């Protein structure tokens, strides 16, 4: 069987197509959630870009998971390079939402990337972090 230039190039073309299909500069995001008041319910975790933070787009990724002791770990793989924020709700009673009191203050735990210490929902810039090519580690303290 004689190998033609086209038959030799075909496997390389498949490799090139596979490389183009892979996310550009995808990275891993490792998250540690600490300081939960209890082990009840579940954490609702959302990775959002600026549009998602403003409620104008769905989250880039999300997870639901039960608290696992003093620190709960989770991981997002293949996160494209970009600027994001991470939001965490500790839905302690399992009703699917962050419960608030009559004045609108949360009565369940919550947290944001960068752990901004503000008495309101932080701005996207206050909670934003960059994802590049390497693994990014975040530590979220539940308030």
């Amino acid at each position: 069987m004689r190998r033609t230039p086209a038959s030799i190039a075909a496997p390389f073309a498949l490799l090139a197509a596979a490389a183009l299909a892979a996310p550009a500069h995808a990275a891993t995001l490792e998250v540690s959630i600490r300081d939960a008041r209890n082990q009840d319910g579940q954490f609702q975790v959302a990775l959002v870009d600026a549009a998602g933070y403003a409620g104008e787009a769905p989250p880039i990724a999300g997870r639901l998971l039960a608290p696992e002791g003093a620190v709960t770990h989770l991981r997002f793989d293949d996160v494209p390079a970009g600027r994001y924020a991470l939001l965490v709700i500790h839905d302690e009673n399992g009703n699917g939402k962050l419960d608030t009191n009559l004045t609108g203050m949360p009565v369940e735990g919550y947290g944001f990337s960068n752990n901004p210490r503000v008495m309101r929902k932080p701005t996207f810039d206050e909670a934003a972090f960059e994802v590049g090519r390497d693994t990014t580690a975040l530590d979220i303290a539940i308030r």
Side-chain angles (χ1 to χ4, degrees):
M1 173 176 177
R2 183 169 176 254
R3 299 199 65 138
T4 65
S7 68
I8 294 170
F12 293 105
L14 289 174
L15 286 173
L20 290 174
H25 306 291
T28 299
L29 177 61
E30 294 180 350
V31 181
S32 298
I33 303 170
R34 61 181 169 81
D35 298 339
R37 291 186 286 237
N38 57 56
Q39 299 295 297
D40 299 335
Q42 63 185 359
F43 290 122
Q44 298 177 9
V45 183
L47 177 65
V48 297
D49 58 13
Y53 198 84
E56 299 167 353
I60 301 300
R63 298 281 193 287
L64 297 174
L65 67 157
E68 299 173 351
V71 180
T72 301
H73 299 278
L74 69 139
R75 178 179 165 144
F76 294 95
D77 291 314
D78 299 323
V79 178
R83 193 163 187 242
Y84 302 99
L86 196 78
L87 298 78
V88 180
I89 293 172
H90 184 188
D91 181 15
E92 298 173 41
N93 61 8
N95 67 352
K97 64 180 184 171
L98 177 65
D99 293 328
T100 59
N101 63 19
L102 293 175
T103 62
M105 296 298 294
V107 295
E108 292 182 302
Y110 63 93
F112 296 89
S113 45
N114 297 333
N115 298 308
R117 300 299 288 180
V118 295
M119 296 301 294
R120 56 170 167 68
K121 181 181 178 183
T123 66
F124 178 75
D125 287 337
E126 290 170 330
F129 61 93
E130 296 287 332
V131 171
R133 295 177 184 216
D134 299 322
T135 298
T136 301
L138 296 177
D139 179 67
I140 308 293
I142 297 298
R143 296 176 63 185

